[in-house]
Amino acid sequence: MASYHLVVDERQVIEAVPLNEVAWHAGDAAGNRRSIGIEICESGDYDRTVKIAVRLTAELLRRKNLSVQDLRQHYDWSGKDCPWKIRRGHAGWTWEKFKEAVTERMVQAMVSKYFKDIRHSWQAVHVDSLREKGIIAGRTEDTFDPDAPITRAECAVVVNKAVQYLTKGGKTS
């Protein structure tokens, strides 16, 4: 029997086995129990597919409080030549380049593009996204004040802007 947790193609990620269950993917009992199996589709736009796999991998590592040093290939568990395209540098994607891209993605997600007081924070990607949509603003142009309490009035403004954004096709007034 063989399986995997997640499969990635050029458009989406599909979860085949819940992440809290064992998938039989590593070719090794310890690998099956201790890792998440991600399959990268080899058809379609390979570069786009690998970039989606990079984002997925970075997010999983962040959620599990792991680092790029914790990444493993099938090869590391069982000696299987997999992921064979990355192992051969297909389309410029080597294992080292993949790990570097994951590291870069993890760092980008920790640093706000707009607010100096939420640098090196897991919140940065979410705060930046909401700022770009016009749903939130900082206390000043470059300060967010992430630990400040929010008033009921401020909460109403944020909720109202979010509803406007969703009902007006991605635009706020």
Side-chain angles (χ1 to χ4, degrees), residues 68-129:
V68 173
Q69 284 67 44
D70 296 304
L71 289 178
R72 300 291 180 268
Q73 304 172 56
H74 286 143
Y75 178 83
D76 296 321
W77 294 115
S78 67
K80 179 182 177 185
D81 189 17
C82 185
W84 74 273
K85 281 193 171 186
I86 287 177
R87 291 177 55 75
R88 286 173 178 72
H90 180 74
W93 282 101
T94 63
W95 182 241
E96 286 307 312
K97 181 180 176 181
F98 183 84
K99 292 192 307 184
E100 287 169 10
V102 169
T103 299
E104 183 178 318
R105 180 72 182 187
M106 290 175 77
V107 169
Q108 286 172 351
M110 292 171 51
V111 178
S112 172
K113 296 182 266 184
Y114 306 105
F115 303 112
K116 63 184 178 188
D117 58 345
I118 56 169
R119 302 257 181 234
H120 308 294
S121 171
W122 62 269
Q123 305 150 332
V125 69
H126 304 291
V127 170
D128 285 357
S129 175

Side-chain angles (χ1 to χ4, degrees), residues 19-20 36 58-67 70:
L19 299 181
N20 63 345
I36 294 172
E59 178 62 18
L60 287 170
L61 290 173
R62 186 192 65 75
R63 284 185 192 174
K64 300 274 186 190
N65 199 27
L66 299 170
S67 75
D70 296 304

Side-chain angles (χ1 to χ4, degrees), residues 4-8 13-16 19 36-39 56 60:
Y4 46 83
H5 291 97
L6 304 158
V7 62
V8 180
V13 176
I14 297 172
E15 183 176 0
L19 299 181
I36 294 172
I38 302 172
E39 291 293 329
L56 170 66
L60 287 170

